[in-house]
Amino acid sequence: DARATTRARATRAATRPRPRATVVRNVVSDESPSDASTPRRRALASIALAPALFAAFDVAPARAATAEERFASVRRDAVELMRADADFGPTLVRLAWHSSGTYDRMGKTGGSGGGTIRFKEELAHGGNAGLDKAIAKLKPIKKRHPDVSWADLIAFVGVVAIEEMGGPKLKFSYGRVDEMDPEAVTPDGRLPDADKGDGPGPKTRQGLRDVFYRMGFDDREIVALSGAHALGRCHADASGYVGPWSGTPLLFNNSYFVLLKGLKWEPNPGAKKFQYKDPSGNLMMLPSDIALIEDADFKKYVDVYAKSQKVFFEDFAAAFEKLETLGTSGLTALG
Ligand code: HEM
């Protein structure tokens, strides 16, 4: 049909090699953060250093001959944004996950394929509170890379953020074609709730399973993906929950599992919403996080990942790659 033809044409256009431009305007450093043997901690070390660079961010279109060059350039731009704003890396991971997490494998709707999370209609969904700011900050990158779809951009910067913050190397595939009509936005309610009204109880656990099974994940993958909560924090003006899960919220490691099982978590009577605190009062867990140690079928994987960061990284990488390709078709693996 006409729509499929347009999609196919757009995919071909997005993947066609571009002529090499003679003038490359790129104010962003040319060093490649991804190829270095130095861990991506460089992004963390330099986070405080470069707010001025961000002010100078250039929106002139970047030219690249190959998809590899194009995405390497996007990576450099994303790293600059992360350096300018320490909170941004974890938020990019949440953005990429929420872009994909609407997928319904029965109805074959939702997922990251159309980049619909950029529409105000989807940003208005309860679970997406605060992500409008992330989309706004990505706009200059999108402008500099008109050949990269919003859908690919959002999925890719999630990968970049995880890698730059010390996480596993992730496979990425491109070729998502943006939906142009907000009608493609799926109904609100497809993302998991941190609390179904019974804290970490059976309703909240069932809620997690309903959402992730709908996408095609199992209990092990639910736990592996939840390990991303090593990163970032809850914001009072977004979800209404407050605080970080770990003491190193810019480092992707297995600390979420170590802390979840190693510390004594108690309800925090000072918090606006029902959440947990550690004995120091500095760290937090959501009811849905605590659910993972109160349910034996989840808990066994918490134990595995607390013991082995290697196994966690392998399982997380596989699950995140799967998450980002749910509901997509005709993607090409980035070399
Ligand atoms: C298991 C069900 C999940 C629930 C109920 C949940 C809930 C939440 C909530 C309430 C926040 C705080 C948002 C804010 O206030 O800014 C948050 C943040 C975050 N979530 Fe999840 N999440 C879940 C799964 C995931 C998954 C699967 C990933 C990624 C693979 C993820 C990655 C993140 C990250 C990185 C942040 C921090 C964002 C920031 O610092 O701005 N979450 N999540």
Side-chain angles (χ1 to χ4, degrees):
D1 66 32
R3 197 175 150 95
T5 314
T6 312
R7 266 176 166 268
R9 203 176 295 137
T11 307
R12 278 197 300 278
T15 53
R16 195 179 299 139
R18 307 273 145 184
R20 193 179 288 277
T22 45
V23 182
V24 178
R25 289 191 64 201
N26 189 351
V27 292
V28 180
S29 156
D30 261 331
E31 70 179 327
S32 163
S34 59
D35 61 4
S37 53
T38 50
R40 308 83 184 181
R41 277 186 202 113
R42 188 177 337 159
L44 311 172
S46 53
I47 266 161
L49 303 181
L53 274 180
F54 180 58
F57 201 80
D58 193 342
V59 291
R63 302 269 173 243
T66 64
E68 277 67 26
E69 287 175 16
R70 197 150 52 239
F71 283 99
S73 178
V74 173
R75 176 185 288 269
R76 289 192 291 272
D77 289 356
V79 168
E80 283 310 315
L81 283 180
M82 288 167 56
R83 286 179 182 170
D85 175 357
D87 247 3
F88 201 49
T91 307
L92 288 180
V93 178
R94 179 170 168 245
L95 178 68
W97 131 241
H98 283 202
S99 167
S100 307
T102 53
Y103 184 63
D104 176 353
R105 75 193 163 104
M106 299 309 282
K108 306 240 176 302
T109 54
S112 71
T116 54
I117 198 169
R118 75 191 189 282
F119 291 129
K120 63 178 185 333
E121 289 80 356
E122 190 162 330
L123 288 168
H125 290 178
N128 288 334
L131 291 178
D132 52 339
K133 287 184 228 152
I135 292 289
K137 287 182 83 165
L138 286 177
K139 278 188 180 158
I141 300 190
K142 176 67 180 98
K143 257 195 191 140
R144 270 173 50 72
H145 302 280
D147 298 341
V148 176
S149 66
W150 266 111
D152 276 347
L153 176 65
I154 290 164
F156 184 63
V157 293
V159 164
V160 170
I162 289 167
E163 291 182 349
E164 293 294 325
M165 289 186 285
K169 176 101 189 72
L170 298 168
K171 290 192 204 96
F172 176 74
S173 297
Y174 63 91
R176 295 169 188 75
V177 180
D178 286 338
E179 288 284 357
M180 300 315 287
D181 190 340
E183 276 202 6
V185 170
T186 49
D188 195 359
R190 290 200 176 185
L191 295 167
D193 288 318
D195 192 342
K196 281 279 187 198
D198 62 348
K203 283 192 204 150
T204 297
R205 294 177 216 168
Q206 190 54 49
L208 292 179
R209 291 195 165 96
D210 287 346
V211 164
F212 283 92
Y213 290 1
R214 186 205 67 222
M215 287 183 251
F217 289 112
D218 60 20
D219 286 355
R220 184 172 181 127
E221 292 170 309
I222 294 175
V223 178
L225 286 169
S226 298
H229 281 171
L231 298 173
R233 58 179 61 246
C234 294
H235 301 84
D237 61 352
S239 62
Y241 294 102
V242 187
W245 290 266
S246 85
T248 50
L250 300 179
L251 266 191
F252 191 100
N253 54 26
N254 68 340
S255 60
Y256 171 78
F257 302 108
V258 174
L259 297 168
L260 190 54
K261 75 171 274 203
L263 297 181
K264 193 165 161 17
W265 296 98
E266 280 177 351
N268 182 349
K272 199 173 89 187
K273 287 172 93 166
F274 181 73
Q275 62 177 68
Y276 288 77
K277 67 178 177 68
D278 75 325
S280 78
N282 295 326
L283 305 181
M284 66 88 62
M285 288 286 165
L286 298 166
S288 51
D289 298 308
I290 297 297
L292 303 185
I293 46 172
E294 297 212 341
D295 180 296
D297 291 325
F298 286 140
K299 167 81 166 36
K300 60 185 178 209
Y301 301 116
V302 173
D303 292 342
V304 170
Y305 300 142
K307 210 177 278 169
S308 171
Q309 176 156 294
K310 184 171 172 289
V311 177
F312 166 51
F313 272 24
E314 285 165 6
D315 284 8
F316 180 86
F320 196 79
E321 286 157 15
K322 173 172 162 182
L323 175 70
E324 288 212 327
T325 51
L326 293 176
T328 63
S329 59
L331 299 188
T332 306
L334 198 62

